[in-house]
Amino acid sequence: IIMYSDIFIIFNPVSTGGHAEAKAGRLAERLRKRGLTSLHVQGTDYPGHAEALAYQDCLASNRPLIVSVSGDGGYNEVVNGVMRAKNEDASRQPVCAILPAGNANDHRRSVRKRPLTWAITHAQSEPMDLLKLTVKKDSYKQVRYAHSYIGAGFTSHAAAQLKDESLSAFKEIAIVARAIFSFHPVAISTIDGKTRSYDSLIFANIHHMSKFMRLGDKADINNGSFRLSVLPHRSDFWLLRIFLNFWLFVFGLKKLPQQTSYQFSVPRSESIHLDGELFQLPGGATVDVTMAPASLPVIR
């Protein structure tokens, strides 16, 4: 049995229609039957609570396993709480895992190797790269991490439409098609000093996004780079065609370029999303998307 100082299971009570709490309880019971006793099941009470709990758990235990029973957004909170603790104290050795209990569950579907209970009791942790978003404006600076993807432009607009929906493939297409015709492109200034309109910017660590969209071949979460998709603004019908290409996984989207950094600025306030969680960029901010290679030990 792999030993941890404590195992913290953090669940979102509203995930999957309230079934996350039952999933967390069943996981805890299976682990107890296998001889693990230092278990703590924690429910969240408000948005951002999982981040606060994960941070506190890292401070309370030197080598905890923190399991997020949630969707991608809940796991994003846990990852950011863990990274905050690690950045403050490098001696901390937390390990993370996710038990899917959300809408899309893109991360778990992309990186799963084995059943989670078996992984907790038998598998050694392995390093995972994280996407790192650094936002600066005057004295303001904010750093956020993403385990799967960062998206600006239409992807953020569509994410807001899809976030709380129970999705099938055809329902997602219908929602996104409607969203295309209410979307305004994002203005971005790149390092050459020119400001252009873009329909979408996507920085991806995995190959699934919003349940049905495909962003390349099989995920590689420790190669030190992200996949980049840049779509300059054209017509609404062109954007619809591109979205269908993503969904159908055809017409050249199998081999997106790999990069380790990308810098831009936003003349006006824009929305961006990290693993489905919306984040607001202040107007005039400079944005750096980089990799934090091998920064988070995980089991999967």
Side-chain angles (χ1 to χ4, degrees):
I1 294 179
I2 305 299
M3 298 305 297
Y4 300 98
S5 51
D6 291 274
I7 298 177
F8 298 94
I9 302 172
I10 301 174
F11 69 90
N12 180 352
V14 300
S15 285
T16 59
H19 297 305
E21 182 173 5
K23 282 191 168 188
R26 287 195 295 269
L27 175 62
E29 184 60 28
R30 288 195 296 268
L31 295 176
R32 288 190 186 99
K33 289 180 178 178
R34 287 159 175 79
L36 299 173
T37 57
S38 187
L39 293 162
H40 314 270
V41 180
Q42 304 168 314
T44 59
D45 297 325
Y46 53 85
H49 194 194
E51 182 172 341
L53 287 174
Y55 172 73
Q56 294 164 8
D57 295 341
C58 288
L59 297 185
S61 181
N62 187 55
R63 183 175 166 76
L65 171 65
I66 303 179
V67 182
S68 178
V69 184
S70 66
D72 295 315
Y75 193 34
N76 177 274
E77 290 187 16
V78 166
V79 165
N80 276 278
V82 167
M83 291 303 296
R84 177 184 165 195
K86 282 173 59 91
N87 289 337
E88 291 179 1
D89 183 355
S91 69
R92 299 289 163 184
Q93 303 176 50
V95 178
C96 287
I98 182 169
L99 177 62
N103 184 2
N105 301 312
D106 293 318
H107 187 83
R108 178 64 176 170
R109 289 190 303 115
S110 296
V111 307
R112 182 185 188 277
K113 282 186 173 181
R114 51 182 76 87
L116 184 59
T117 302
W118 192 95
I120 290 172
T121 55
H122 292 84
Q124 296 288 344
S125 65
E126 57 185 292
M128 180 173 76
D129 300 338
L130 294 175
L131 290 152
K132 182 179 180 181
L133 177 79
T134 304
V135 183
K136 297 179 182 178
K137 181 183 179 182
D138 302 325
S139 60
Y140 170 86
K141 180 180 178 180
Q142 178 80 308
V143 175
R144 302 293 294 174
Y145 295 91
H147 51 72
S148 295
Y149 46 77
I150 297 173
F154 176 71
T155 48
S156 288
H157 180 68
Q161 312 295 316
L162 297 168
K163 184 174 176 61
D164 298 318
E165 295 284 346
S166 177
L167 299 175
S168 65
F170 294 105
K171 187 173 183 180
E172 173 162 323
I173 289 175
I175 292 171
V176 172
R178 288 197 303 270
I180 284 173
F181 296 101
S182 63
F183 165 70
H184 298 287
V186 59
I188 287 177
S189 299
T190 49
I191 55 175
D192 61 7
K194 296 181 179 179
T195 300
R196 302 177 178 88
S197 293
Y198 291 86
D199 286 328
S200 179
L201 283 173
I202 301 173
F203 314 91
N205 199 30
I206 62 172
H207 65 298
H208 286 107
M209 183 177 179
S210 295
K211 198 170 186 177
F212 297 106
M213 291 175 65
R214 300 292 297 273
L215 299 171
D217 296 319
K218 186 176 180 181
D220 186 346
I221 61 171
N222 48 26
N223 68 351
S225 63
F226 56 77
R227 303 164 196 220
L228 175 65
S229 171
V230 180
L231 300 180
H233 176 59
R234 293 175 67 178
S235 69
D236 291 342
F237 290 101
W238 180 83
L239 182 57
L240 178 60
R241 174 179 171 270
I242 291 296
F243 167 74
L244 291 174
N245 288 350
F246 273 122
W247 181 69
L248 294 172
F249 196 42
V250 293
F251 302 130
L253 294 176
K254 293 185 179 182
K255 294 189 179 297
L256 294 175
Q258 301 270 345
Q259 288 193 210
T260 58
S261 65
Y262 192 92
Q263 185 180 79
F264 61 95
S265 60
V266 287
R268 59 176 183 263
S269 179
E270 299 285 359
S271 293
I272 197 167
H273 76 281
L274 297 86
D275 305 326
E277 292 296 291
L278 289 173
F279 179 79
Q280 201 68 24
L281 301 175
T286 298
V287 182
D288 281 289
V289 178
T290 55
M291 293 302 291
S295 55
L296 184 66
V298 297
I299 56 172
R300 57 190 179 112

